[in-house]
Amino acid sequence: MNFKQIEKKWQGRWAESGIYKADIKSKKALENKHYVLEMFAYPSGATLHWGHYFNYMLSDSYARFRGMAKNQNIEPSKQTADLKSQTNKTTTSKTPADAPTADLKNQTTKTTTSKTQPNTTAELKSQSNKLTTSKTPADAPSVFHPMGFDSFGLPAENYAIKNNVHPRVTTNRNIELAKKQIDEMGLSIDWEYEIITSEPDYYKWTQWLFLQLYKHNLAYRKEAPVNWCESCATVLANEQVVSGACERCESDVSKKNLTQWFFKITDYAEELLTGLDDKKYNLDWPEKTKLMQRNWIGKSEGVELEFKVCLVDSGDSGDSGTGSAKETKAVRATNSSAQTIKVFTTRIDTITGVNALILAPEHEMVAGLVSEKQKAEVVKYLEQTAKLSEIDRQDTSKEKTGVFIGAYALNPYNNIRVPIYIADYILAGYGTGAVMSVPEQDERDKAFAKKFNLSVPKVESVDTSKLGVKKINYRLRDWLVSRQRYWGTPIPIVYCDLCGIVPLSEKDLPVLLPDDVEFKAGTNPLENSDTFKNTTCPKCKKSAKRETDTLDTFVCSSWYFLRYPSAKNNKAPFCKTLTNKLLPVDVYVGGAEHAVMHLLYARFITKALRDMGHLNFGEPFKRLIHQGIILGSDGNKMSKSKNNFIPPQILLDKYGADVFRLNLMFAYDFTVGGAVAESGLSAMSKFLEKIERLVNMVADVAETNTADKVGAKASTVTDKAAEKELNFERHRVIDAVTKDIPNFAFNTSIARMFEIINTINKHKDKVSAGLLKDTVTDLVVMLAPLTPHFAEEMWERLQVNQAKGGARQTKGGTKQAKSSKQQSKDLGSEIWDKKNSVHAQTFPLADKAALVKDETELAVQVNNKIKGKIIVSTSATKEEIKQSALALVAPEIKEADVKNVIVIPNRLVNIVV
RNA sequence: GCGGACGUGGCGGAAUGGCAGACGCACCAGACUUAGAAUCUGGCGGGAGACCGUGGGGGUUCAAGUCCCCCCGUCCGCACCA
């Protein structure tokens, strides 16, 4: 089969017919919606990565399935690590509000209690029709599945510097390229809702977002030591610094004092933490990702207390800097000053073990406290520290360093005088930037005390309940959002000599990126653009300067999921009513690398907008799934330098999009990934060709319309047992696949399909053509989400042949017979109606009646060793099962020796002797 | 160092505490074929066998790949957060 050819054909028809147009406006659609979202791509010049294909193709299959499958009270099993213990407790109560009631259960009991078991296909069919029509299951939801591009960012600008091409040019070119590749995948995307973050009609609203945050005191400007990446020539947020190095270019990051814009994410620290486990949201996220966010937020509860600074007369013997044990003990409070140093500790109970106060070198009081004698040494240390890269400073293996500053403080509990040091292992940004050193209890303080030969006072058990004030500290810092680069969203702020910092008003947006700029390494083009920089103050109309920094691209992606439904709206960032109905996102799929960046920012922005009254929900992503990583054929991470890099589109070109997608589904656990193996692709080609042969076989029957049998042995008498078994397998597979796909368990879904193929081949000569055709038809419809083009082609083949031969077969209750008008359209095929698409069909519904077996096979064990098998009626009582099991082992086992018999219906019998 | 996940045939991978290895790949044998390819059928953890087998050692249970404890290994995240 020429997969590439049929893919082209169907992609063309889909585009012409507008089959993927999303319905998100009708009342009905909004009442039963399902928002499926994949993290959008950065359009780099290179082709898309394996991760994109893996994510987009499989998420698309999920979305397609959701749009086809009725009766979706089949909810995904939760992915949390502690799931197993939870499941038993919660599943019964966890029926989603919009899910249909447990009709099926009632139906099943109804049919099983009725004594007459169906014997022929016709009976089976009529019964299944009754079942499915008597109570109509809920309709499949209206699926919203948009796509866009995260198109601001450094690579385009760096390329501009090197090759003198404007970032807009390369970006647009790259978007075209990426879109072409996405279209080749055959995704069910409605491009009407496309978002491109570097377009003014999008970044205008990113600027709006900035102004909202500014208005609500969540955006502010301050001077602070910030992370500076020399090679990217810009500052970075804490989240973008990975072990002291730049997340993007991996070069060392240093600290620089700069005035920068921050978003006050710390205001939401507590809610960002509690929201992860809040029953109200019931987030279905990987436990690992939740944990990473928890750790990143880093809540710790303790006490903040003040140490009075103790002035020292010059010539005081304590000014030696050693602050040895005997000395400190001897000196009690005599001459305390008004100054105090605040300290945060989680171990206030160790207050009696304090031997020193240690401040961060950057602590603001250092300059004021340092004694004349120590000044030179302190200055030298400060210089040394400033020179260290973050990577060196954070190296825990290096020896502790520090210096005595020539001042003392008084322990507020017992007034014992302790020396004050500065040391680079104390972080300026955490707590108060000062700690009480307790060497007996703290490893780091112990190392410090050892290095400087300080005393190690004993920690005594004392009442510390009245000391200091209770305080909660978070590791999370405010989000540094300004970047000294061109290719980003301009910050809508003007600096006026008279009015100060002036935000633009909404009507003046967007602040457009100027085109008359020069791209040079190490400089911000906006800084050198006079037309951009020089403006007038919105308040006083006098000349003023624009902010030349742009926003971190993570700001663009922190709200894009809100924009999709309103992508074309030029009056507001998003339509409040629509967004409140369509969101939160039901399933969000993307890489785990965003666990503490994008995913945290998006949650923060959602909460902030909610508090401003723009949204009525507090968490943007209900369910989160991370796709695994596709590795090189050697099992290592793919990289061009390692020579194990296989570009995905080479294999896609060779095998076609459907086979390619199928291989991604079958060869890996979606959340794990694994090594690329081409053998898997040819296996998938064979799989589809097998199905094609089955389709041709049953399509022929309808065409000739002569016999009710298929195959060479057409004369064989229909075998009722075989029919029953095939029908059982058919519905067992439907049932399993319907449960597996919502869990992204595509590998086992395909395994079930292999099984039904095997069963069909085993029984094809013994069963009626009608059942055979229905089974193959179900298989084709089940395949529609997984191989959209191939299923379409097979579906057409089935329909066309059916039309030629006349519509003889009534469908197994899941598909509608077509009018003769529609059939003639099929045959003409010039105008293809999207209603005739396999994707417009309902996913087969498992007929529970067909899943009832008369007999089951049980294993019989004696002391856990398998001794044999028995076949018992499904209606047999435990006692009857026990008796037949004992009968089986009677030759070996004496009745008197039997201590216990455990009967597990449908599984096994264990006889304990 | 701290935290988390994982460890099952030659390979990818299946198994609500209940017959380990579903399904596929590779391999072997047979059918068809002059032959090959394709296709179809059968076999395929180890062992001649009793039996032994889910990284190793203990435990709970009638029953453990699955639950608990210790150890080893791999991967990931955080890393002086007081």
Side-chain angles (χ1 to χ4, degrees), chain A residues 744-764:
Chain A
F744 281 71
F746 297 104
N747 52 352
T748 49
S749 297
I750 295 167
R752 299 291 87 78
M753 295 187 195
F754 268 108
E755 284 165 10
I756 194 65
I757 292 172
N758 292 341
T759 312
I760 292 171
N761 281 326
K762 188 170 146 198
H763 290 315
K764 67 184 174 198

Side-chain angles (χ1 to χ4, degrees), chain A residues 169-188:
Chain A
V169 175
T170 43
T171 299
N172 289 342
R173 199 167 63 204
N174 293 345
I175 287 174
E176 282 315 302
L177 185 73
K179 237 169 136 170
K180 193 173 156 261
Q181 288 174 82
I182 289 173
D183 281 336
E184 277 173 8
M185 295 182 203
L187 307 187
S188 55

Side-chain angles (χ1 to χ4, degrees), chain A residues 22-37 98 141-146 190 193 560-567 574-588 614-617 619-623:
Chain A
D23 174 15
I24 57 166
K25 300 277 161 70
S26 76
K27 192 166 172 265
K28 198 182 158 213
L30 287 172
E31 270 166 10
N32 187 15
K33 62 88 187 180
H34 200 72
Y35 188 173
V36 180
L37 185 64
D98 57 344
S142 174
V143 172
F144 184 48
H145 185 213
D190 185 351
Y193 296 92
Y560 79 112
F561 46 91
L562 303 172
R563 175 75 180 165
Y564 274 124
S566 317
F574 49 85
C575 166
K576 193 173 154 183
T577 341
L578 184 60
T579 301
N580 280 338
K581 289 213 163 126
L582 255 178
L583 278 96
V585 171
D586 292 279
V587 179
Y588 193 37
H614 297 293
L615 300 172
N616 69 359
F617 55 92
E619 285 288 344
F621 314 120
K622 262 208 271 203
R623 185 173 172 213

Side-chain angles (χ1 to χ4, degrees), chain A residues 69-338:
Chain A
K70 288 188 169 199
N71 190 41
Q72 300 196 13
N73 49 355
I74 311 131
E75 276 304 296
S77 53
K78 265 216 168 194
Q79 41 185 328
T80 45
D82 49 346
L83 164 74
K84 275 169 193 160
S85 57
Q86 279 180 10
T87 328
N88 294 335
K89 275 178 246 159
T90 53
T91 36
T92 43
S93 61
K94 230 205 86 194
T95 317
D98 57 344
T101 46
D103 290 335
L104 268 175
K105 266 186 201 158
N106 301 334
Q107 286 169 9
T108 318
T109 29
K110 247 184 261 165
T111 46
T112 44
T113 46
S114 79
K115 290 273 146 55
T116 42
Q117 290 297 322
N119 281 324
T120 65
T121 324
E123 276 172 69
L124 280 169
K125 237 178 254 165
S126 69
Q127 192 163 22
S128 76
N129 278 338
K130 238 184 268 162
L131 272 170
T132 46
T133 51
S134 62
K135 283 244 171 135
T136 318
D139 277 339
S142 174
V143 172
F144 184 48
H145 185 213
M147 179 64 77
F149 296 97
D150 188 16
S151 47
F152 270 138
L154 267 182
E157 191 171 342
N158 290 341
Y159 187 85
I161 293 166
K162 239 182 166 175
N163 303 292
N164 201 28
V165 188
H166 195 282
R168 183 174 299 110
V169 175
T170 43
T171 299
N172 289 342
R173 199 167 63 204
N174 293 345
I175 287 174
E176 282 315 302
L177 185 73
K179 237 169 136 170
K180 193 173 156 261
Q181 288 174 82
I182 289 173
D183 281 336
E184 277 173 8
M185 295 182 203
L187 307 187
S188 55
I189 300 288
D190 185 351
W191 288 107
E192 279 290 299
Y193 296 92
E194 180 183 15
I195 282 173
I196 297 174
T197 60
S198 58
E199 289 294 317
D201 64 5
Y202 183 86
Y203 71 69
K204 171 182 176 174
W205 301 113
T206 307
Q207 291 170 345
W208 171 89
L209 174 68
F210 180 93
L211 292 177
Q212 298 307 306
L213 293 167
Y214 184 79
K215 208 191 291 176
H216 290 86
N217 294 319
L218 289 170
Y220 66 94
R221 207 167 107 99
K222 75 162 183 196
E223 187 185 324
V226 297
N227 308 303
W228 177 262
C229 174
E230 194 62 47
S231 116
C232 294
T234 186
V235 298
L236 301 170
N238 286 329
E239 289 80 6
Q240 289 151 19
V241 180
V242 178
S243 335
C246 173
E247 179 241 344
R248 185 173 289 280
C249 70
E250 291 175 19
S251 49
D252 276 11
V253 168
S254 58
K255 285 278 185 211
K256 238 186 179 182
N257 264 321
L258 288 171
T259 305
Q260 297 286 316
W261 285 98
F262 291 85
F263 285 169
K264 222 168 179 179
I265 191 170
T266 51
D267 269 14
Y268 285 88
E270 186 62 26
E271 208 202 321
L272 286 168
L273 188 68
T274 55
L276 294 171
D277 301 304
D278 197 326
K279 290 243 163 60
K280 180 168 71 192
Y281 303 119
N282 194 19
L283 292 191
D284 185 7
W285 280 34
E287 195 51 40
K288 186 180 167 139
T289 306
K290 284 189 181 179
L291 191 74
M292 278 170 71
Q293 291 212 350
R294 268 182 225 120
N295 290 340
W296 189 260
I297 295 165
K299 180 180 183 173
S300 66
E301 293 175 59
V303 165
E304 195 172 282
L305 75 162
E306 297 185 358
F307 279 64
K308 278 185 185 141
V309 172
C310 178
L311 294 176
V312 178
D313 302 323
S314 54
D316 186 303
S317 58
D319 209 357
S320 64
T322 58
S324 74
K326 287 162 219 141
E327 218 174 316
T328 41
K329 272 240 164 97
V331 184
R332 293 268 169 176
T334 47
N335 48 354
S336 59
S337 79

Side-chain angles (χ1 to χ4, degrees), chain A residues 38-88:
Chain A
E38 295 103 77
M39 289 181 187
F40 61 173
Y42 174 77
S44 75
T47 49
L48 294 176
H49 309 140
W50 277 95
H52 293 124
Y53 284 86
F54 200 30
N55 179 358
Y56 294 174
M57 293 184 113
L58 275 67
S59 301
D60 177 66
S61 292
Y62 170 84
R64 286 174 181 277
F65 169 80
R66 276 280 155 167
M68 290 175 79
K70 288 188 169 199
N71 190 41
Q72 300 196 13
N73 49 355
I74 311 131
E75 276 304 296
S77 53
K78 265 216 168 194
Q79 41 185 328
T80 45
D82 49 346
L83 164 74
K84 275 169 193 160
S85 57
Q86 279 180 10
T87 328
N88 294 335

Side-chain angles (χ1 to χ4, degrees), chain A residues 8 44 211 262 342 351 353 378 388 401 423 442 490 583 626 702 745 766 782 812 859 891 898 911:
Chain A
K8 250 199 165 138
S44 75
L211 292 177
F262 291 85
K342 278 187 181 164
I351 187 80
V378 167
L388 279 181
T401 63
D442 187 286
L583 278 96
H626 298 307
K766 291 180 270 179
M782 277 194 281
V898 175
I911 298 164

